[in-house]
Amino acid sequence: SYVLTQPPSVSVPPGNTARLTCGGDNIEDKTVHWYQQRPGQAPVLVIYSDTDRPSGIPERFSGSNSGNTATLTISRVEAGDEADYYCQVWDPTTDPRDPHVLFGGGTKLTVL
Amino acid sequence: EVRLVESGGAVIQPGGSLRLSCEGSGFTFGDYTMHWVRQAPGKGLEWVSLINWDAVKTYYADSVKGRFTTSRDNNKNSLFLQMNSLRTEDTALYYCVKDRRELYYGSGSSFNVWGQGTLVTVSS
């Protein structure tokens, strides 16, 4: 079955750029979505369809998807960006008649 | 305001059954595929199931297939998850989640509205 791989943790100083990766075999052929989950809260969609931002999400959040890696980039990182981030794809590859939704294991972003 | 409110979580013994409910408001419930996503304590997100807008199609994670059943009542803007033969590994916060696109499920399925979750604890 398809697997999404995210680094467990990433740390960046405030004001810097955070690049959170999501690895998968030929992931560029899939549509990737990203979620932010702050402690004690429900997840929030921050990027959908690889690169699109829902209304209300700051322009500092952007996404890309190429080769075997999708990336969520957070520019000018703020203390409020400290959270867990999850990538997600739709996976029909195992059995197209029985599709699944897959999440990566998540990356904890720490703002130093 | 678009909102999802789950209920029904409880402490239950292994082998037991439980039914979760979710009520949606602020959107045309019957136009959207709905999902259940769970999160075990201190762990990541795990997709559980989906039901399309008119309840014709349902899909399940392998970990719950044959034990869980998802259904909906569009007249009551409600989503349900019937959980049978519960195991300790089913212990989690269960989120009711709305698909972003109406009348759709597939590669573009992303989740733009989440409830606050209802806690299921399976323990003897």
Side-chain angles (χ1 to χ4, degrees):
Chain A
S1 61
Y2 197 78
V3 176
L4 297 174
T5 301
Q6 297 184 251
S9 62
V10 168
S11 299
V12 296
N16 280 28
T17 296
R19 294 180 179 84
L20 310 182
T21 60
C22 177
D25 190 33
N26 292 318
I27 198 172
E28 67 179 355
D29 295 333
K30 297 189 180 296
T31 304
V32 181
H33 316 288
W34 291 90
Y35 302 87
Q36 175 195 67
Q37 186 179 32
R38 295 187 174 107
Q41 297 187 18
V44 172
L45 180 66
V46 293
I47 292 289
Y48 66 92
S49 300
D50 294 340
T51 60
D52 295 338
R53 219 175 25 255
S55 61
I57 300 301
E59 291 183 7
R60 301 184 298 105
F61 288 79
S62 63
S64 62
N65 188 5
S66 179
N68 294 319
T69 304
T71 303
L72 172 68
T73 301
I74 309 172
S75 304
R76 303 181 300 281
V77 166
E78 303 173 355
D81 298 333
E82 191 162 284
D84 295 324
Y85 291 84
Y86 296 91
C87 57
Q88 174 245 311
V89 301
W90 176 267
D91 177 30
T93 56
T94 302
D95 180 351
R97 299 165 300 175
D98 185 23
H100 287 48
V101 173
L102 297 178
F103 286 97
T107 295
K108 180 177 180 57
L109 174 65
T110 299
V111 181
L112 298 169
Chain B
E1 178 193 7
V2 178
R3 198 169 177 224
L4 296 170
V5 179
E6 304 94 337
S7 61
V11 178
I12 189 89
Q13 290 190 338
S17 297
L18 201 60
R19 189 189 196 214
L20 306 184
S21 300
C22 168
E23 184 170 347
S25 59
F27 65 103
T28 306
F29 187 84
D31 282 352
Y32 291 89
T33 293
M34 297 296 295
H35 304 255
W36 289 98
V37 174
R38 69 184 182 183
Q39 188 169 34
K43 302 297 184 181
L45 302 174
E46 180 188 14
W47 174 79
V48 173
S49 71
L50 77 79
I51 184 167
N52 80 317
W53 55 92
D54 60 3
V56 170
K57 293 291 188 182
T58 56
Y59 298 109
Y60 299 91
D62 292 344
S63 58
V64 307
K65 198 173 296 181
R67 301 187 298 122
F68 289 12
T69 302
T70 189
S71 60
R72 65 192 296 163
D73 182 345
N74 288 340
N75 291 324
K76 296 182 178 180
N77 294 341
S78 293
L79 175 71
F80 306 102
L81 185 67
Q82 178 66 43
M83 304 185 295
N84 298 331
S85 303
L86 282 161
R87 305 168 180 168
T88 54
E89 55 263 37
D90 295 318
T91 294
L93 187 64
Y94 284 73
Y95 291 104
C96 168
V97 182
K98 172 187 166 293
D99 207 293
R100 187 184 63 84
R101 293 171 60 174
E102 63 180 292
L103 302 177
Y104 177 87
Y105 64 89
S107 63
S109 282
S110 59
F111 309 142
N112 69 332
V113 182
W114 297 64
Q116 284 305 302
T118 187
L119 183 62
V120 174
T121 302
V122 185
S123 173
S124 55

